[in-house]
């Protein structure tokens, strides 16, 4: 596909890292993700003020070498474009002048290492070269270490690329999200000169003020609920800002924000006639689909998809309105949902790069120990769903340095103990979790999986380090002996520093333990009875941890119960008028309490990525589609209707969609071209042939 | 001094880090140095093409916390300005809106830690706050590690500042070097439409093309010599570039360059009437002065001063024309000269920060092992001349990580052996130096001094690490036993891997050994006779190493011989018509050979910072001015006329100038206010009183 966009280049669907045969821009892996992610996160405001993140922020590398071994039988004219000042080396080559955007350039015949050294400060250095045989793609190496990268034992990662960034006149940094004009479903004048508008559902974009007159400030209050946007208290809604009036027909605000309702409050001497917006579109296209015999579940899937689309920006973010930040634990769920809705990988890759940041590592990802561990799991899952081995090579050194940081903070027994400055999050729970003053079984389980994921990646790209696997095995074997309570018949939450088990019993380690096979049959029965189906054990209020709770039940084959829970919990939000799913839902909270969180009257996000998990749960466990080899090279389709009459749907893969239909007790499935899978239904397995 | 410059803010003389009582902008230490240094270095061109550096390049930190403990008896209104998005924290403070440049802000009364978190990508984050008691200065801490910086054992460095960056409307990033219009001393039309101009002496700035007509390209050839600028060969002069004609009265080129001669070659369809320039001024003012009874030496001092001024840009650079890069070994000499000419420190500090770069360290400074070690020596000398203890606190962690890198590359005996990828430079010598395949005495001596410098800094700021001192002592004690040859009566250059001494005898370790007190009386006599005064030992051709050779002779009291060498060597360049001093001078090279170097016909730099060492040698060893405690808290003036009839001069110090006069056998000296020194003359010492 050739897309040449000059003035307002739009970000079309992103695809895999790869050497596709077409030239496309290349850059140091992760640099554009950092650059875009840094700016995106910094657009957050709160109570009318700027609100940058609170974790260490890394810049792209200003100087990068791009290298490629070439063997040219004849001289070759290439088209060249760079972001930044470029020096080209190899067989006496001359470099282009600084400022040259696009140029013809002759490469001499011969066998040599072609090096393009590109410098750019402020925007990441990038290179485009397109000739008969020499073309920039991920077969090039990229390194910021200059000649140090050529030393024995040093491995340079493959350059990062996007197949669609294939025009020399469109530099990667000029690409932005596409927008679409939208009008509110209703707007009215209130309180004299105010404008109050309802856009009908949660949205995200650039507000447009119509008919602005006068000179002075205009206060904009954004709300996901009507009371939020109506509230003029400076300490009320999280999201409000002042803008200077720019008289004219239409004033488009400079920063995109998330809202359903907008309240425009012109100061004295200023007036505004009405509003519209440029909706900033999700950069990815919906491929996944789900329909079944229960319209409530269909609506839940639809609102989940909208929720994920609104939180899918330059990278995945947590929520549309408040944070707009990216959190590794939340993002892991976005990735998994994204694999079932969009079936792309570039955005997951960007988000993984952003989350990881750079070196030296001085803090857990998002400051949260569990979030460091989730990052490793996400890398492994990314590879499983996309088959993008190049990414593993690009990310490997950063996996190692992050794990070395985490290992450096373990306690004397090699267990994940809290340390000053580390946040042991786990979940927003109704009671305080006992996460400190010892080792939690939950963190230790995550560490085991993180180590296993790193060992797996290391093996996959031939950089094996057995120490990670051995450490994982030792920690895994400790879990049940250390944390099991015979009295409670379950894993306990915390092993205190005095060597005794804390009395708090939570669902978290037990549902992870169920999903990850820690228990024998007796223990499993005990955990189900004493924890999972025991209403006396603290309930989970976040969709975040409901994701794992329901996944654990799915893995135990309890689909019918899972669908009932989805109907009640997500359906409960629909009954409250949700047009996107929430950060936290407690059916007992009514009225104003519904919107409050973090001690703030409207602190709760009503469009939160982690609210969208039905996309994943339905695709993975109802349609039953799962890759069993990286990138769906092998897959299974094992539908489980959980009591539904019929179900049909589509799951994207890197090679094309898988469609599934179960109607009248008959299951059918078609898979992508050139891939074959297995359909499991009614105790039988049949091969799904490759389509033409 | 209050300098408010809005549209074209000029960079006035920079001063010490400090808490002066006035508010000024603050930023993370070194970030502006990196930002400016990166861009400056990347402006290099060669043969019409871009030419970025070849060492790892580090970006400023996009997100920085600035912290200050305050104890306000009453609420306080401060003026606030930021480069970037800012969040302010402390006692429920609200943050300003993104995009706010200058604002009033009320700090509540109370005792709390005031934190301003500033995000900016592309330009380093910076903060300005000015109130009755709360003002940004170096008493604030700066950290990019966010809350990780608050953990036990973490030390945040003081913020960096410049007293003159004191206006909220002038952000540090908007400050540029001042310019002054200048005309060539002659210009003529040649070869039809070409313009050839002589600016009379080496200069540096933005070329202006007058009376440009037509559409097309203009080729500009820059030369430090007439043959260089006349040469139209694309492989001839290093420095030429194409610019697009912009018809009009005057077209100012976008990038400043160094030259004496300019050759303007319009392509067909374009014409140019003549040239002028905006000379880009040295940001520092000349305070040092030197006059004596020998006019040749006076001229040498003057041309040295011009040479240093031309290589003093946003940071110190190597040469005006070709590299415009900064090299740590060269820069050490620029610093020392600068202390005697400008008496400032901000530019040395910036250059030290630029040279050090960031973390992780993956390569020696400039890829050169000696240049890593010189960097440590330069830090110690910076402190000696400026007394800027704050810088030591700012740089300390980066000293440690660089030394740890260097130590990680030592051989099994802990000695500085060459490794793949490391450049063992030492000098541009007429014969190949035997620097590899073993350990050189020269590198080991430098390592000893680097370790001693780090240990000294560590002690000075109370972060003592005895291991560095012990390592230095062990290596120091090895030098003579390992490298002394009884046969040659001198230190040998290389101890080979087979344990034997290589046969090459060079001046380098012997002159460093003399200067650093490695020898007993007998050894000293032997070295002088067998090496220093032995014409059969390879002569030094660079002013770079002549600096150390002559310094060694000065320390042995041989001033008369030193002045003779200066008259011959630097005077020889004057006789060749030099208006600035050269990278390398060999009196035997005549005609075209004079300009050649690196296998290129005009490869030699004729304005090279390391050519300016008479500034240092005259100030330090003829006027005899030397700080004996950091920042000239104590100093000595010990003139030595070396056969001159009279001498007088001025040496800047952080507290004001020291003036020295020796006439008619009488020495007088005045020192800065509030400091007292010692005048040594004719075997007597007298106290120099503080002036009022």
């Amino acid at each position: 596909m050739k897309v040449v966009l000059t003035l307002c280049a739009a970000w079309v669907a992103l695809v895999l890292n790869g050497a596709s045969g077409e030239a496309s821009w290349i850059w140091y892996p992760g640099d554009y993700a950092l650059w875009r992610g840094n700016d995106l996160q910094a657009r957050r405001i709160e109570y009318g003020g700027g609100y940058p993140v609170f974790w260490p922020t890394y810049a792209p590398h200003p100087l990068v070498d791009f290298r490629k071994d070439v063997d040219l039988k004849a001289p070759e004219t290439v088209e060249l474009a760079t972001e930044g000042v470029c020096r080209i080396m190899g067989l006496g080559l001359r470099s282009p002048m600084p400022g040259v955007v696009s140029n013809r350039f002759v490469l001499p015949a011969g066998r040599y290492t072609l090096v393009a050294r590109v410098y750019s400060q402020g925007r990441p250095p990038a290179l485009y070269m397109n000739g008969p045989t020499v073309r920039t793609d991920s077969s090039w190496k990229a390194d910021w270490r200059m000649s140090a990268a050529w030393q024995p034992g040093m491995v340079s990662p493959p350059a990062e690329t996007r197949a669609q960034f294939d025009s020399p006149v469109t530099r990667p940094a000029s690409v932005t999200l596409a927008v679409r004009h939208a009008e509110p479903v209703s707007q009215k004048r209130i309180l004299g000169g105010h404008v109050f508008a309802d856009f009908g559902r949660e949205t995200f974009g650039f507000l447009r003020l119509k008919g602005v007159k006068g000179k002075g400030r205009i206060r904009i209050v954004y709300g996901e609920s009507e009371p939020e946007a109506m509230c003029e208290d400076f300490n009320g809604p999280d999201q409000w800002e002042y803008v200077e009036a720019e008289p004219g027909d239409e004033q488009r605000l400079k920063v995109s924000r998330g809202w359903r309702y907008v309240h425009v409050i012109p100061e004295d001497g200023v007036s505004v006639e009405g509003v519209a917006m440029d909706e900033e579109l999700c950069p990815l296209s919906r491929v996944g689909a789900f329909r079944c015999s229960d319209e409530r579940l269909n609506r839940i899937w639809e609102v989940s998809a909208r929720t994920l689309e609104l939180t899918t920006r330059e990278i995945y973010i947590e929520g549309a309105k408040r944070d707009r930040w990216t959190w590794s634990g939340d993002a892991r769920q976005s990735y998994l949902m994204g694999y079932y809705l969009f079936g792309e990988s570039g955005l997951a890759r960007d988000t993984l790069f952003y989350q990881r940041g750079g070196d030296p590592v001085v803090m857990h990802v998002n400051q949260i120990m569990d979030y460091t561990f989730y990052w490793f799991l996400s890398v492994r899952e990314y590879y499983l769903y996309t088959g993008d081995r190049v990414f593993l090579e690009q990310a490997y050194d950063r996996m190692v340095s992050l794990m070395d940081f985490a290992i450096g903070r373990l306690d004397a027994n090699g267990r994940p103990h809290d340390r000053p400055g580390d946040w042991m999050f786990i979940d927003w729970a109704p009671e305080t979790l006992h996460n400190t003053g010892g080792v939690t079984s939950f963190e230790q389980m995550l560490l085991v999986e993180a180590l296993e994921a790193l060992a797996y990646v290391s093996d996959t790209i031939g950089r094996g380090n057995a120490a990670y696997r051995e450490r994982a095995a030792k920690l895994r074997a400790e879990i049940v002996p250390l944390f099991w309570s015979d009295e409670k018949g379950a894993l306990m939450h915390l092993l205190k520093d005095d060597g005794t088990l804390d009395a708090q019993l939570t669902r978290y380690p037990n549902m992870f333990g169920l999903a990850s096979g820690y228990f024998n049959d007796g223990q499993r029965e005990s955990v189900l009875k004493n924890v999972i189906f025991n209403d006396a054990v603290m309930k989970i209020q976040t969709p975040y941890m409901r994701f794992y709770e329901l996944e654990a039940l799915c893995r135990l084959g309890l689909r019918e119960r899972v669908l009932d829970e989805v109907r009640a919990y997500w359906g409960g939000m629909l009954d409250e008028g949700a047009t996107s799913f929430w950060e936290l839902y407690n059916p007992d909270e009514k009225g104003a309490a519904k919107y409050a969180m973090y001690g703030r009257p409207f602190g709760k996000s009503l469009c939160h990525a982690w609210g969208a998990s039905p996309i994943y749960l339905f695709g993975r466990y109802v349609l039953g589609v799962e890759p069993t080899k990286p990138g769906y090279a092998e897959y299974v389709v094992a539908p489980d209707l959980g009591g539904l009459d019929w179900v049909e749907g589509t799951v994207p893969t890197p090679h094309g969609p898988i469609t599934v239909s179960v109607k009248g007790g008959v299951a059918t499935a078609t898979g992508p071209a050139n891939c074959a899978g297995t359909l499991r239904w009614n105790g039988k397995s049949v091969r799904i042939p490759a389509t033409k």
Side-chain angles (χ1 to χ4, degrees), chain A residues 235-445:
Chain A
N235 300 321
D238 283 23
Q239 298 293 299
W240 58 262
E241 62 185 325
Y242 282 116
V243 297
E244 288 293 323
E246 295 170 11
D249 284 349
E250 270 206 341
Q251 173 177 354
R252 177 173 136 151
L253 303 198
K254 292 184 178 60
V255 181
S256 61
R257 310 223 174 268
W259 74 82
R260 172 174 170 176
Y261 302 92
V262 170
H263 187 181
V264 178
I265 308 170
E267 288 193 336
D268 285 351
V270 181
S271 67
V272 176
E273 282 174 16
V275 298
M277 75 177 297
D278 284 346
E279 194 176 15
E280 197 178 46
L281 301 178
C282 173
L284 304 178
S285 301
R286 201 188 283 197
V287 175
F290 178 86
R291 295 279 302 160
C292 71
S293 52
D294 181 341
E295 279 304 322
R296 190 169 175 88
L297 293 182
N298 293 339
R299 175 74 188 149
I300 286 170
W301 187 91
E302 181 61 37
V303 171
S304 295
R306 173 79 181 165
T307 301
L308 186 62
E309 286 169 342
L310 287 169
T311 53
T312 301
R313 307 283 102 192
E314 291 89 338
I315 60 175
Y316 283 115
I317 57 174
E318 178 208 50
K321 176 190 74 170
R322 185 195 64 214
D323 262 37
R324 337 176 38 149
W325 288 356
T326 301
W327 299 83
S328 173
D330 310 45
R332 181 196 182 193
Q333 300 191 351
S334 292
Y335 307 144
L336 289 170
M337 298 169 200
Y339 302 137
Y340 284 90
L341 187 64
F342 308 123
E344 67 80 48
S345 69
L347 208 81
R349 188 173 72 228
D350 277 353
T351 310
L352 286 164
F353 274 131
Y354 169 75
Q355 290 269 264
R356 172 57 191 81
D359 289 306
V361 181
V362 297
M363 188 190 274
H364 278 299
V365 176
N366 305 118
Q367 199 184 357
I368 302 175
M369 186 193 276
D370 9 338
Y371 279 32
T372 289
F373 300 149
Y374 284 124
W375 185 83
F376 288 92
L377 277 52
S378 300
V379 171
R380 182 173 57 185
E381 288 156 356
Y382 171 84
Y383 180 57
L384 177 64
Y385 278 94
T386 68
D388 181 4
R389 191 179 181 283
V390 169
F391 172 71
L392 303 185
E393 293 173 12
Q394 290 167 334
Y396 183 70
D397 285 345
R398 277 169 270 190
M399 297 184 80
V400 169
S401 54
L402 178 58
M403 185 56 83
D404 288 350
F405 169 81
I407 289 173
R409 296 177 81 76
L410 300 179
D411 72 8
N413 299 309
R415 296 179 195 136
H417 194 286
D418 61 292
R419 290 216 181 205
D422 294 352
W423 178 5
M424 322 296 279
F425 168 58
I426 303 181
D427 192 21
W428 298 125
E431 296 165 22
T432 301
L433 296 178
H434 298 186
N435 293 344
T436 60
V439 174
T440 61
S441 45
F442 182 86
E443 298 283 358
Q444 183 153 338
M445 284 174 167

Side-chain angles (χ1 to χ4, degrees), chain A residues 113-165:
Chain A
T113 299
L114 177 62
V115 180
R117 178 166 296 158
V118 187
Y119 168 82
S120 172
Q121 194 160 249
R123 290 171 152 206
L127 176 73
Y128 175 93
M129 208 181 275
N130 192 13
T133 70
V134 175
R135 293 168 196 158
T136 42
D137 59 23
S138 68
S139 70
W140 290 59
K141 300 290 182 191
D143 215 302
W144 66 274
R145 293 170 300 184
M146 302 292 100
S147 65
W150 299 62
Q151 291 176 41
M154 294 288 217
V155 179
S156 292
E160 194 183 0
T161 186
R162 305 244 184 283
Q164 284 87 348
F165 288 2

Side-chain angles (χ1 to χ4, degrees), chain A residues 536-569:
Chain A
V537 175
M538 179 168 51
K539 286 231 170 87
I540 291 173
Q541 292 191 348
T542 57
Y544 176 51
M545 278 291 146
R546 298 231 74 186
F547 178 109
Y548 297 117
E549 185 181 35
L550 297 180
E551 174 157 61
L553 296 181
C554 285
R555 292 201 183 168
L556 296 171
L558 304 167
R559 302 287 202 286
E560 197 156 346
R561 185 185 172 102
V562 167
L563 292 184
D564 282 344
E565 301 250 6
V566 170
R567 286 183 189 98
Y569 184 82

Side-chain angles (χ1 to χ4, degrees), chain A residues 8 59 61 73 105 136 150 157 166 168 199 214 222 259 298 317 329 363 445 512 521 532 561 581 604 638 680 687:
Chain A
C8 178
H61 300 88
K73 306 304 174 206
F105 202 80
T136 42
W150 299 62
D166 63 352
F199 283 77
Y222 302 96
W259 74 82
N298 293 339
I317 57 174
M363 188 190 274
M445 284 174 167
F512 273 61
D521 290 350
I532 305 299
R561 185 185 172 102
F581 288 124
K604 191 180 290 168
R680 294 197 187 126
R687 200 73 180 151

